[in-house]
Amino acid sequence: MKGKIIDGYEFILYDHSRYFEEEMLKRSLDFYYQMDQRRSIRNFSNKAVGLDIIKNLLKTASTAPSGAHKQPWSFAVVSSPSLKSEIRKAAEKEEYESYHGRMSETWLEDLKPMGTNWEKPFLEEAPYLIVVFKKPYELDGEGNKINNYYVNESVGLASGFLLSAIHNAGLCALTHTPSPMNFLSKILNRPENERPYLLIPLGYPADEVYVPKLKRKVLKSVANFYEQESS
Ligand code: IYR
């Protein structure tokens, strides 16, 4: 690996994969088609998934860019039936309250096409729950706080990488955010510098799964192009 010292720090030569324009066009389109197939799934099969696959998914998530390369995330991988059931109970308790008064009428109306409710059987059915934690700071050996940067952005990126990796592997997931979700810190016994960020059940989809018929926004309503004026 070719490297050099810059301002006293080690740098390595970046190894870039180059493609011809035509191939880039094909690769970008193929990847779009692949990602466009991804859907949030709420009905899982109880078919087991190998832990080695999960480990690879987490390694991929952990390649995400992060503020000052602090990687301010941690992942709890839960396959224990008793913990999953404890998590389901606690999540449903919160969700029941949310669906019966904490969420606004407009919010509930917006959710109707998704077919969600306070009941969360997928928290027990999915072979794995991955809880993504964000770490606003690190703790050194003496309990001093060491700051992290752009924590929400970094953990959001890692979660996006994770969801893409799950889909790429041929598995399904749900981006679930029971609210509030501090019960996860307690049940999983996480240290005080870890805050639950997302709860991601994953596995194979159940035999026949129906998902809401959604339309994605067309490019022109999500992107604006600022090009050089023609002279
Ligand atoms: N957390 C609740 C409600 C919910 C909210 C949104 I915004 C969604 O896109 C889906 C669900 C639940 O999980 O049911």
Side-chain angles (χ1 to χ4, degrees), residues 42 95 99 103 107 111 114 116-117 120 176-179:
R42 291 184 167 80
E95 292 292 279
Y99 278 86
M103 285 150 82
W107 191 349
L111 281 182
M114 311 294 157
T116 62
N117 62 39
K120 307 296 174 192
H176 183 41
T177 50
S179 176

Side-chain angles (χ1 to χ4, degrees), residues 2-185:
K2 201 174 165 200
K4 66 171 159 180
I5 304 293
I6 303 177
D7 290 339
Y9 293 93
E10 269 191 283
F11 281 68
I12 53 165
L13 188 65
Y14 178 58
D15 186 13
H16 175 60
S17 307
R18 269 173 208 277
Y19 309 103
F20 289 114
E21 179 105 13
E22 201 180 320
E23 194 177 353
M24 284 205 289
L25 198 58
K26 183 180 179 322
R27 289 176 65 92
S28 58
L29 192 62
D30 286 349
F31 192 59
Y32 159 59
Y33 287 147
Q34 193 195 333
M35 292 303 289
D36 195 33
Q37 292 297 313
R38 188 207 54 80
R39 295 298 308 264
S40 290
I41 292 296
R42 291 184 167 80
N43 305 93
F44 292 87
S45 146
N46 61 4
K47 185 173 156 63
V49 175
L51 190 59
D52 284 344
I53 299 171
I54 305 296
K55 288 178 181 172
N56 289 338
L57 303 177
L58 297 175
K59 284 197 236 176
T60 304
S62 219
T63 66
S66 61
H69 189 54
K70 296 284 188 178
Q71 300 182 262
W73 48 68
S74 86
F75 306 101
V77 181
V78 183
S79 53
S80 145
S82 62
L83 282 178
K84 284 196 287 184
S85 134
E86 210 179 321
I87 289 172
R88 175 182 176 181
K89 271 195 203 87
E92 286 184 335
K93 192 164 169 260
E94 294 298 353
E95 292 292 279
Y96 185 90
E97 292 306 323
S98 297
Y99 278 86
H100 294 88
R102 287 203 294 229
M103 285 150 82
S104 67
E105 283 304 315
T106 325
W107 191 349
L108 291 171
E109 201 57 37
D110 279 340
L111 281 182
K112 276 188 183 161
M114 311 294 157
T116 62
N117 62 39
W118 65 272
E119 288 177 290
K120 307 296 174 192
F122 52 75
L123 292 174
E124 286 189 279
E125 285 161 6
Y128 288 102
L129 307 179
I130 296 182
V131 187
V132 181
F133 288 89
K134 65 176 180 183
K135 298 166 84 174
Y137 53 88
E138 304 287 339
L139 290 169
D140 71 9
E142 279 128 42
N144 301 309
K145 292 180 182 179
I146 305 158
N147 212 18
N148 284 329
Y149 312 95
Y150 296 101
V151 171
N152 281 317
E153 291 84 346
S154 303
V155 184
L157 286 160
S159 302
F161 277 36
L162 178 58
L163 293 172
S164 307
I166 291 170
H167 177 63
N168 177 64
L171 293 168
C172 288
L174 173 68
T175 317
H176 183 41
T177 50
S179 176
M181 55 178 164
N182 33 4
F183 63 85
L184 290 165
S185 304

